Amino acid sequence: MHIPFNKPYFSGKELEYIELAYDHRHLSGDGPFTKKCHHWLEQTIGTTKALLTHSCTAALEMAAILIDIQPGDEVIMPSYTFVSTANAFVLRGGTPVFIDIRPDTLNIDENKIEAAITPKTKAIVIVHYGGVACEMDQILAIAQKHNLFVIEDAAQAIGAKYKGKPLGSLGHLAALSFHETKNIISGEGGALLINDDRFVERANIIREKGTNRSKFLKGQVDKYTWVDIGSSYLPSDIIAAFLWAQLENLEQITSKRKTLWGNYHQSFSQAEAQTYLRRPIIPKDCQANAHLYYILLPSAQKRDSFLSVLNENNVNAVFHYIPLHDSPAGKKYGRISGSLEITLDMSKRIARLPLWIGLENYQQDVIDQVLLEIGF
């Protein structure tokens, strides 16, 4: 029996909607299904404007352009994140300033942000790790005090909330991912969420290769032309058709994932009580979306042993990010503020477990058994 780390979930209507997209004869971007997705995101998340992109990376790149990152501008962010979080700003000449994470949620440590602020700081980019919200009240207060932009890297966070508010609706801008490893998928794909009116018009221009084509399509100008920098950030309406079938089922998908998450959490409770490992911590103000389940082992050696035995038993469990500040490009393009000891420690001890709809109880039991084999 092989247990993969991830298996894409299909709601059942993806092919039906793709066929409808074919019948519409509008296969490029901003077709009927794209508009459905835009409206759903705006209504469900409560964002001012949603724009589908071909990836979360593209949405982050658009965000960097929208806040006008210039060479030398600094952007505070966690080191414990995917490369796109930093790369989007480095591409504009910005400097990532890496700070440490919290030991409970593995999110950016809000208490270390102000110490990293300099006259060059332009934005705070936060990452809702595993669909668990950062401490947004304090982060937003810091940003307001210092006149900084807040960008939510909500790649893993669709369906999650902070104090009842959907993640992606709290910062000036936010980015979602619909990569096949996420809760809601379209193979590849993403979305830029705009919560500040001043960015809406320019976002449409940037997304359309720097042209005012969106105004032309609305009949607001008689021809369109090149007016700003930009790129081709639109996904095909075929991708949007697939995504629409997923968005329609967000509640059911999240519910099923929460059941699997809960099974893991319960099964590892005794091991945590015996200090063999530590389970994820969800603060009371956070409504998580069960994006991933991880455990923290006592040491790097224990983590590596755990993953090795799982893979020997045909269970594909993995670690997660290599801290960006410790990477060749991170050292070249970024800098650190303060100690990042928690980031380094957690990254060496974390093990992520398979979590996908269709995972059976007996398959999760196989993973539990590995703990006994290792001798915890």
Side-chain angles (χ1 to χ4, degrees):
M1 174 182 61
H2 173 65
I3 303 175
F5 176 72
N6 179 67
K7 185 180 289 187
Y9 173 74
F10 304 102
S11 72
K13 290 191 173 182
E14 286 82 359
L15 293 179
E16 176 185 337
Y17 290 164
I18 288 172
E19 186 174 358
L20 281 175
Y22 172 83
D23 290 340
H24 290 150
R25 293 298 194 269
H26 188 139
L27 304 183
S28 59
D30 283 343
F33 281 104
T34 301
K35 291 179 172 62
K36 283 178 179 286
C37 292
H38 285 171
H39 181 73
W40 186 98
L41 290 167
E42 289 160 7
Q43 294 299 307
T44 304
I45 295 178
T47 189
T48 300
K49 181 66 177 177
L51 293 171
L52 292 192
T53 56
H54 55 68
S55 66
C56 183
T57 300
L60 288 167
E61 290 179 7
M62 286 183 65
I65 296 172
L66 284 168
I67 66 169
D68 196 30
I69 291 293
Q70 297 292 319
D73 287 343
E74 295 182 345
V75 181
I76 297 169
M77 65 181 66
S79 172
Y80 193 65
T81 183
F82 189 61
V83 61
S84 295
T85 312
N87 208 33
F89 300 91
V90 171
L91 281 169
R92 311 309 311 164
T95 300
V97 178
F98 301 117
I99 67 172
D100 214 351
I101 55 175
R102 292 168 45 148
D104 56 352
T105 60
L106 280 60
N107 282 332
I108 193 170
D109 189 335
E110 66 278 2
N111 294 312
K112 297 185 177 180
I113 292 174
E114 281 200 280
I117 295 173
T118 73
K120 297 180 179 180
T121 306
K122 196 157 196 177
I124 305 167
V125 180
I126 57 94
V127 180
H128 300 300
Y129 183 70
V132 178
C134 296
E135 182 46 60
M136 293 305 298
D137 282 352
Q138 187 172 339
I139 291 168
L140 292 169
I142 292 170
Q144 184 175 27
K145 175 182 176 182
H146 295 277
N147 195 29
L148 303 175
F149 295 109
V150 174
I151 297 172
E152 296 176 77
D153 183 336
Q156 303 173 356
I158 191 167
K161 297 180 179 181
Y162 173 75
K163 295 185 176 180
K165 298 177 181 178
L167 302 188
S169 69
L170 301 167
H172 296 89
L173 300 163
L176 298 177
S177 174
F178 303 120
H179 186 269
E180 73 166 36
T181 56
K182 303 302 188 289
N183 293 26
I184 299 298
I185 66 171
S186 58
E188 297 280 358
L192 176 70
L193 306 180
I194 304 169
N195 303 311
D196 188 321
D197 290 345
R198 62 186 146 162
F199 293 128
V200 173
E201 182 175 348
R202 191 174 185 221
N204 279 300
I205 291 170
I206 291 167
R207 183 169 170 266
E208 278 280 14
K209 304 91 175 169
T211 73
N212 59 351
R213 183 171 181 268
S214 62
K215 284 188 173 182
F216 170 72
L217 294 175
K218 293 175 184 176
Q220 296 173 353
V221 294
D222 59 0
K223 58 182 178 296
Y224 70 90
T225 187
W226 183 22
V227 296
D228 200 347
I229 62 171
S231 190
S232 182
Y233 290 120
L234 286 72
S236 161
D237 213 49
I238 295 174
I239 297 293
F242 191 109
L243 178 62
W244 178 241
Q246 297 267 316
L247 291 175
E248 284 186 318
N249 286 274
L250 175 66
E251 289 187 13
Q252 299 95 310
I253 289 170
T254 304
S255 177
K256 290 176 181 179
R257 294 185 71 93
K258 284 183 175 180
T259 296
L260 294 167
W261 195 99
N263 291 344
Y264 273 135
H265 210 57
Q266 177 60 37
S267 67
F268 288 127
S269 61
Q270 186 175 355
E272 183 178 59
Q274 295 173 304
T275 68
Y276 295 156
L277 55 84
R278 202 209 81 186
R279 299 179 298 169
I281 296 172
I282 311 295
K284 63 179 178 64
D285 290 330
C286 302
Q287 296 167 262
N289 66 352
H291 171 62
L292 56 81
Y293 194 89
Y294 65 83
I295 56 175
L296 289 163
L297 284 304
S299 67
Q301 183 180 9
K302 287 286 189 182
R303 191 276 304 274
D304 293 345
S305 177
F306 177 73
L307 293 179
S308 177
V309 174
L310 278 179
N311 281 282
E312 287 171 6
N313 284 271
N314 294 311
V315 178
N316 186 207
V318 298
F319 53 87
H320 213 173
Y321 309 123
I322 303 298
L324 294 185
H325 78 279
D326 213 24
S327 68
K331 293 175 182 177
K332 180 178 181 180
Y333 297 114
R335 68 174 182 85
I336 64 173
S337 174
S339 168
L340 276 72
E341 59 183 343
I342 295 173
T343 298
L344 291 170
D345 178 52
M346 297 294 179
S347 66
K348 293 174 182 175
R349 297 195 291 117
I350 193 170
R352 292 190 300 152
L353 306 179
L355 200 163
W356 39 269
I357 295 174
L359 188 67
E360 301 287 350
N361 287 342
Y362 77 88
Q363 293 174 311
Q364 290 183 298
D365 291 341
V366 170
I367 298 168
D368 298 342
Q369 185 63 30
V370 171
L371 285 172
L372 299 178
E373 290 184 26
I374 293 176
F376 289 154

